[in-house]
Amino acid sequence: MAPVVPDALGMSDSDMQEVARKYGHECGFVLPAPAGSGCDYEFRFWVPNHEMEMCGHATVGAVWLLHQLGKLSKRELSIWTCKGAVNAHLVKHDTADASVKISQPKGQVKPLASSAIASIISVLRISPNDLAAHPVQNAWTSRVKTLVPLKSAVILNSLEPAFDRIEQLCEDIASTGLYPYAHVDKDCQIFEARQFPMSSGYPEDAATGIAAAALSFGLLANGLVQPTSKSITVRQGQAMQKPSEIVITLTTDGKGSANGCWLGGHVEVQRDT
């Protein structure tokens, strides 16, 4: 869930933060594009505790909502965010099944030291034997997430972290959230994940597009996916009873190397009553 305000012109920072606090989720706010940016809109994102530079699923939801409201006259958009310009593409824009995908740059991946891994294991309250045979890594396209490979979705969904220690841990390892994940279907490239944010004002996220994008480059670095156009599906929110599904497609430079990705997913509207 990502509440979206489709016309936030005139709202102050405190107004936007109050909306995020009211709903307890990441919220997206649509504004006119800054002069000279060359973009169609500006999107801002708030969680209860602070403004975020970028939020993938709120961007997807906001573009989809603008389309449903009849505010879009074209399929390709450029959106200004605190992280710079993001491209958005409407798929099947003239049908009831219209969907949205947004661009992210090439991800960066960095393995963590053994001391950091020991701290992560402690905070997640797991055993070293619960880790899969892949590195624990920091990865990012827009925001740094810590990828923690687990042996199974059963282990993943039984996690009960020490939430009171997550913020300090994330600060120590230069991350904005822990993103433990498990392989569900190798042939279909389906993974399951959970996101425990550093200091958003809530303990867990049901969908985190930016984390899923970061994960795709971690998977690529670990040889779990290849640099092709085959979809990578990341399921999230099962442990919260709020399931979501994020689809990532890697883009390549024509020489077989990934140079970015598209992320998207199915959108459902829930009106504020």
Side-chain angles (χ1 to χ4, degrees):
M1 179 177 175
V4 172
V5 178
D7 183 1
L9 186 63
M11 293 184 71
S12 67
D13 287 2
S14 59
D15 291 337
M16 295 182 192
Q17 187 171 19
E18 183 57 35
V19 173
R21 286 174 172 168
K22 174 183 176 181
Y23 290 100
H25 293 279
E26 311 96 324
C27 295
F29 301 87
V30 180
L31 296 156
S37 67
C39 293
D40 299 290
Y41 290 95
E42 178 183 10
F43 287 3
R44 293 180 65 184
F45 311 100
W46 283 82
V47 293
N49 284 356
H50 57 81
E51 185 171 13
M52 288 198 307
E53 305 98 321
M54 178 63 192
C55 181
H57 66 289
T59 303
V60 169
V63 173
W64 182 88
L65 179 59
L66 291 172
H67 172 64
Q68 296 298 314
L69 294 173
K71 294 181 178 291
L72 301 183
S73 59
K74 54 185 180 180
R75 297 175 60 179
E76 308 285 344
L77 297 176
S78 183
I79 299 157
W80 186 257
T81 74
C82 290
K83 295 293 289 186
V86 172
N87 296 319
H89 176 72
L90 277 163
V91 182
K92 298 181 181 178
H93 71 292
D94 56 350
T95 73
D97 295 327
S99 62
V100 176
K101 59 182 182 179
I102 64 170
S103 66
Q104 283 293 281
K106 180 179 180 179
Q108 306 296 316
V109 182
K110 179 181 178 182
L112 292 178
S114 57
S115 57
I117 295 171
S119 296
I120 292 167
I121 288 171
S122 175
V123 168
L124 290 179
R125 294 173 171 165
I126 57 174
S127 160
N129 291 330
D130 292 328
L131 294 175
H134 306 293
V136 177
Q137 301 154 311
N138 275 356
W140 64 96
T141 58
S142 292
R143 307 178 75 230
V144 177
K145 298 298 177 183
T146 301
L147 312 180
V148 185
L150 299 176
K151 287 182 177 177
S152 72
V154 172
I155 295 172
L156 176 73
N157 288 313
S158 64
L159 291 176
E160 295 182 359
F163 288 108
D164 61 336
R165 297 169 57 198
I166 286 178
E167 183 172 357
Q168 184 60 58
L169 171 63
C170 287
E171 183 175 329
D172 292 343
I173 61 177
S175 175
T176 66
L178 304 182
Y179 204 58
Y181 68 94
H183 213 154
V184 175
D185 188 317
K186 181 177 180 180
D187 293 334
C188 294
Q189 297 192 163
I190 299 173
F191 300 83
E192 197 165 319
R194 296 175 71 180
Q195 136 93 343
F196 304 117
M198 176 181 178
S199 59
S200 294
Y202 45 83
E204 184 171 357
D205 247 340
T208 321
I210 295 305
L215 174 61
S216 69
F217 285 93
L219 299 173
L220 181 63
N222 297 337
L224 294 174
V225 301
Q226 300 302 314
T228 69
S229 59
K230 185 176 180 179
S231 295
I232 302 165
T233 301
V234 181
R235 295 172 177 167
Q236 196 176 322
Q238 275 77 0
M240 303 171 66
Q241 307 303 314
K242 296 178 180 180
S244 67
E245 190 170 281
I246 301 162
V247 179
I248 306 292
T249 306
L250 297 172
T251 59
T252 62
D253 59 8
K255 299 180 182 179
S257 296
N259 61 359
C261 70
W262 291 99
L263 73 89
H266 177 69
V267 179
E268 295 182 359
V269 64
Q270 180 178 336
R271 297 187 182 278
D272 185 5
T273 55

